[in-house]
Structure formats: C-alpha cells, structure tokens
C-alpha cells in the first residue's frame, strides 16, 4: 500500500512538473516536487523504505532532467536516509521545524548534486545561487503547506467519521 501511495504521488508530481515546465520554462529550476515526495515518504523514519523511495525518485528525476543518469538517484538516496534519520531522532511537529527540515533537505540535496557533478562531469553546469536559494525556499514553503493541508484534511475526516458513527448509534 505504501508503494502505491508513493507511486501515485510521484506520478502526480511528474505530471505537475511537465505541465509547469510547459507553462513556464524556469519551473524545474524553482520547484522540486519529487523532492517533496521523497521527504514525505521518509518522514515516518523507515530507513529502507526511505532509501529505496529516494533511489526510485532520484532515477525519475534523472530521467526528467536529462543529465547524468544516477546523479539524482545517489543524492536522493542520501537525502531519504538523512530525512528518516532525522525523523527518528527529532520531534518534528511545529510548522517552523517542518519548514527547517524541508529547506535543509533541499539545501543538502543541492550541495550533494554540485559535489557529485564536480567529481563526475568534466564541465558541470551549476545552478546559479539565486535559483538554488529559490528552490530551497519553495521546497520549504510547499512542504509546510502540503503538511498543514494534510493535517487539516485528516482532522476533518476524523470529525466526520465520529459524527457519522454517533448518528448511526
């Protein structure tokens, strides 16, 4: 069931990514929706699921980016493990800590990608610093927004179920 949820989230992210790139050419520079899927997958603290999900999401990112295949796969596997590690050891409930986690993972991913590109590619094309900062900020803001929205929907669903159960009695 978890794999199906992750697959559906990745499919939705790819479709939104394709539509966004079609509408605005700089969309892939500013938003990383697949990284959001990775972080949400790793938030429960399961190391293996986080790493396998990170690998799969990274390979999808590599296929979309057209760059060196395996670069995002390696970086996203590391980010999945790191996010699961942090989720196991830290209490991440507040909006500020969620924003910090999402932004920190995005910044670390950018740093790992730049480091790997420097080592593996003869002439790496680095993203400009302003676009990297925009991607970090948008990942943090979108992650917090999605998390807050999901919590609100779960609360409304639970309230509806309690009300429905009390009416049936």
């Amino acid at each position: 069931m978890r794999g199906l949820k992750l697959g559906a989230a990745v499919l939705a992210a790819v479709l939104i990514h394709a539509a966004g790139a079609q509408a605005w050419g700089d969309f892939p520079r500013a938003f990383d929706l697949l990284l959001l899927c990775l972080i949400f997958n790793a938030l429960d603290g399961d190391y293996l699921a986080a790493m396998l999900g990170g690998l799969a999401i990274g390979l999808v990112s590599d296929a979309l980016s057209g760059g060196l295949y395996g670069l995002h796969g390696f970086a996203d596997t590391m980010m999945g493990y790191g996010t699961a590690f942090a989720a196991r050891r830290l209490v991440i409930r507040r909006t500020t800590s969620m924003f910090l986690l999402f932004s920190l993972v995005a910044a670390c991913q950018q740093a790992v990608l730049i480091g790997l590109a420097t080592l593996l590619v003869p002439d790496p094309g680095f993203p400009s610093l302003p676009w990297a900062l925009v991607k970090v900020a948008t990942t943090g803001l979108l992650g917090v927004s999605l998390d807050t929205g999901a919590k609100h929907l779960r609360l409304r669903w639970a309230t509806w179920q309690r009300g429905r159960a009390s009416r049936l009695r």
Side-chain angles (χ1 to χ4, degrees):
M1 187 66 169
R2 179 184 180 139
L4 291 175
K5 285 182 186 178
L6 180 62
V10 168
L11 180 63
V14 166
L15 292 175
I16 294 170
H17 177 85
Q22 188 73 15
W24 181 41
D26 289 330
F27 185 85
R29 288 183 183 176
F31 299 98
D32 193 353
L33 302 176
L34 291 170
L35 183 61
L36 291 173
C37 295
L38 166 86
I39 295 169
F40 279 115
N41 181 47
L43 275 177
D44 68 347
D46 185 1
Y47 293 124
L48 182 62
M51 290 189 323
L52 291 177
L55 177 64
I57 289 170
L59 294 177
V60 170
S61 292
D62 286 328
L64 288 175
S65 70
L68 184 63
Y69 199 70
L71 193 65
H72 281 90
F74 184 78
D76 286 354
T77 303
M78 286 179 60
M79 295 307 107
Y81 178 80
T83 304
F85 185 83
R88 275 202 174 174
R89 284 163 177 72
L90 301 174
V91 178
I92 306 168
R93 297 197 193 276
R94 294 186 179 174
T95 304
T96 53
S97 60
M98 288 297 285
F99 178 77
L100 183 63
L101 176 75
F102 279 98
S103 299
L104 188 61
V105 170
C108 288
Q109 183 207 33
Q110 292 294 309
V112 168
L113 287 173
I114 288 172
L116 286 173
T118 302
L119 292 174
L120 299 175
V121 179
D123 186 25
F126 296 126
S128 64
L129 183 62
W131 280 114
L133 293 175
V134 165
K135 187 177 276 192
V136 168
T138 58
T139 301
L141 290 173
L142 279 174
V144 166
S145 300
L146 289 173
D147 183 59
T148 304
K151 286 178 184 175
H152 180 70
L153 286 176
R154 280 192 296 266
L155 179 65
R156 288 191 64 169
W157 177 256
T159 304
W160 179 79
Q161 281 184 328
R162 278 193 305 262
R164 186 167 184 261
S166 67
R167 279 186 296 209
L168 289 175
R169 288 183 192 168

